[in-house]
Amino acid sequence: MVDEAAIKRAQEHFGELLKKQMERIGRMKASKDETDLSKIDKIIIGVCGGDGIGPYICNSARIVMEHLLADRIKSGNIEVRTIDGLTIERRVEVMKAIPDDTLEELRKCHLILKGPTTTPKKGDPWPNIESANVAMRKELDLFANVRPVKVPELGVDWVFFRENTEGSYALGSDGIDVSDELAIDFCVATSIGTERIIRAGFEHAKKSGINYVSLVTKANVVKTTDGKFLSTAEAVAKDYPGIKWDDWFIDIMTAKLIDPYRRSDFKVMVLPNLYGDILTDEAAQIQGGVGTAGSANIGSKYSMFEAIHGSAPRMVDEGRAQYADPSSMIKAVAMMLNHMGEVEKAAKLEMALDICCQFEKKKTMTGRSNGATGDEFAQYVMDTMARSDIKAVWQSYVDAAIAKAKTK
Ligand code: IPM
Ligand code: MG
């Protein structure tokens, strides 16, 4: 039986969604917002702890960040600001993904270091409000979610460019329960949104001397939005004649990432939002787990740096939040430093992280009181950075790991 009234209600809801998306396209087209960090007298970095283990690991990362930027902070060229208000309690209290006053504070920053935030799902004790991550990415138009994954001994050196404001996430909290029997969600692709992420991937390849970009979609099934992704890639690729590109379906790419004969061929991967979410967790696991991966959310005006994992509320409930591993957030700091042009400091921090997490492991993080605390680990990373032979130490570890992998 067809419930005409239900269809009418759904059509009206859908009409509203279309209107909002068209308005968004208008805003993207009209936007002249651009931040050139090299031209700003005072760069404001907002530190937003989030909730669960977020404030703990974010604070450990902040210690490292402030240590590395001490001179610029002292000279007044950088101001680091604490931004509260992204806790699940506060978000539920005002029933908003990001409380208005918090968003206002975030908009006053140029760069944001953000801890994980709890994202409720249907059935949780919390009301099913939109994810703070997703809302921040959309509100600040952070369209490129850049996630590097490196495992030298496997020859793996990937950078994922995950579209961050559209796809299945754009209307992820705006699906329609048409009737008790029928639920519909939406997937969104705009020309401008698709082009800018693909271009970001190609630009990164060009700047880094990489001559290979892979597009990942499911355009054989999701024909309209993923189809647009693919046809846009064809057009954009023409501007980069020196770069070879190909396209893969997400299912086979998931398999190829664990194919030891094939995976080291991939370099830059560009994908729609949801596939990017899933594939980057798999990639991070190959590197050692989601706790090891950082993420840069880049827009034209703002940029936000975060872990790729969640807020682990269980660790807080069990009183062991101070033992949570801050590596992902420290990695996010390295990405922020790179973005600011502090390339040498970023490289040193990354080397120190590799030494501490993958090789030397003098302070083990177990997530419990038999392991190091996040702050102890941060100190270990800073002590490692202070070593004058850090580069040689790092190189010798990597060479040994590669040699060992070859004998397997
Ligand atoms: C991520 C996370 C988020 C996402 C969640 C917390 C909403 O998984 O950053 O990958 O799906 O984007
Ligand atoms: Mg994810």
Side-chain angles (χ1 to χ4, degrees):
M1 206 202 75
V2 174
D3 180 346
E4 296 291 349
I7 293 177
K8 183 107 207 309
R9 274 196 308 275
Q11 281 173 332
E12 274 165 21
H13 178 109
F14 185 48
E16 283 304 310
L17 297 180
L18 294 181
K19 229 186 265 169
K20 283 192 191 141
Q21 287 304 307
M22 287 188 176
E23 283 163 9
R24 186 172 70 85
I25 294 174
R27 283 198 301 278
M28 283 194 279
K29 283 189 172 160
S31 169
K32 301 249 175 326
D33 288 342
E34 224 160 88
T35 300
D36 180 349
L37 291 172
S38 68
K39 297 209 173 90
I40 293 174
D41 293 336
K42 185 180 231 164
I43 297 174
I44 300 173
I45 303 178
V47 178
C48 191
D51 54 33
I53 59 169
Y56 295 83
I57 59 174
C58 197
N59 196 54
S60 304
R62 178 185 187 152
I63 293 170
V64 177
M65 177 183 83
E66 290 185 337
H67 167 73
L68 283 166
L69 295 174
D71 290 350
R72 291 178 68 177
I73 294 171
K74 202 166 163 212
S75 75
N77 172 238
I78 288 178
E79 180 191 327
V80 183
R81 268 186 205 170
T82 304
I83 298 181
D84 294 320
L86 261 202
T87 61
I88 183 74
E89 291 80 7
R90 181 82 212 294
R91 288 181 282 135
V92 164
E93 188 191 316
V94 297
M95 282 304 281
K96 287 213 157 159
I98 305 178
D100 292 340
D101 50 349
T102 309
L103 189 56
E104 207 175 299
E105 287 306 307
L106 290 168
R107 285 192 198 280
K108 291 180 195 153
C109 303
H110 301 102
L111 304 168
I112 298 159
L113 181 67
K114 180 189 144 298
T117 46
T118 302
T119 303
K121 64 174 188 309
K122 222 175 191 158
D124 277 353
W126 302 108
N128 200 10
I129 51 172
E130 189 186 22
S131 144
N133 295 36
V134 175
M136 199 183 295
R137 293 165 186 167
K138 288 197 279 194
E139 286 289 347
L140 304 182
D141 204 23
L142 309 171
F143 64 87
N145 193 326
V146 186
R147 298 184 163 180
V149 165
K150 231 189 222 178
V151 192
E153 63 265 41
L154 301 179
V156 163
D157 193 352
W158 300 322
V159 187
F160 297 87
F161 280 76
R162 164 186 175 190
E163 201 294 317
N164 216 17
T165 53
E166 306 196 338
S168 305
Y169 280 63
L171 300 173
S173 300
D174 292 309
I176 309 180
D177 279 314
V178 180
S179 70
D180 289 345
E181 313 268 331
L182 178 63
I184 304 260
D185 269 314
F186 302 101
C187 187
V188 177
T190 66
S191 298
I192 184 168
T194 306
E195 185 183 333
R196 64 186 182 176
I197 185 67
I198 295 171
R199 210 168 270 290
F202 274 91
E203 275 299 313
H204 171 80
K206 189 174 159 187
K207 263 190 235 140
S208 321
I210 298 168
N211 66 351
Y212 180 32
V213 173
S214 304
L215 263 284
V216 185
T217 69
K218 188 71 187 176
N220 52 343
V221 176
V222 185
K223 292 188 191 292
T224 311
T225 46
D226 282 4
K228 191 177 196 53
F229 220 82
L230 209 48
S231 58
T232 305
E234 254 163 57
V236 171
K238 292 202 171 82
D239 293 340
Y240 301 87
I243 299 176
K244 183 173 90 133
W245 78 283
D246 57 9
D247 81 278
W248 294 77
F249 296 134
I250 179 65
D251 48 352
I252 189 65
M253 186 52 105
T254 330
K256 287 295 148 198
L257 288 198
I258 52 169
D259 177 350
Y261 301 104
R262 195 70 174 84
R263 60 180 161 199
S264 57
D265 294 345
F266 300 110
K267 301 291 172 215
V268 174
M269 281 165 265
V270 187
L271 4 62
N273 212 335
L274 182 58
Y275 309 143
D277 177 45
I278 298 167
L279 203 68
T280 53
D281 267 19
E282 187 198 15
Q285 188 63 41
I286 295 168
Q287 179 179 259
V290 289
T292 65
S295 166
N297 297 262
I298 310 286
S300 305
K301 185 166 186 191
Y302 303 99
S303 302
M304 180 265 279
F305 302 82
E306 60 176 347
I308 80 162
H309 57 78
S311 61
R314 196 185 316 159
M315 289 191 76
V316 183
D317 293 345
E318 294 172 4
R320 41 191 189 91
Q322 69 272 37
Y323 299 106
D325 187 347
S327 321
S328 53
M329 288 300 304
I330 300 178
K331 192 74 150 258
V333 168
M335 296 188 79
M336 180 190 280
L337 290 167
N338 250 326
H339 184 71
M340 294 167 75
E342 292 280 8
V343 184
E344 263 176 47
K345 286 180 180 159
K348 206 173 205 186
L349 180 53
E350 277 172 6
M351 274 190 271
L353 268 175
D354 282 351
I355 294 172
C356 298
C357 300
Q358 298 194 30
F359 302 121
E360 202 180 68
K361 299 181 189 167
K362 276 195 190 154
K363 292 240 180 271
T364 325
M365 306 295 308
T366 63
R368 298 176 185 278
S369 56
N370 59 0
T373 65
D375 286 357
E376 282 164 358
F377 181 78
Q379 189 57 51
Y380 174 36
V381 170
M382 289 188 290
D383 292 344
T384 306
M385 273 193 293
R387 291 173 64 160
S388 56
D389 60 346
I390 179 170
K391 213 166 174 181
V393 171
W394 180 81
Q395 195 61 56
S396 66
Y397 278 126
V398 170
D399 290 346
I402 293 172
K404 196 168 155 206
K406 276 191 184 142
T407 61
K408 272 191 194 152

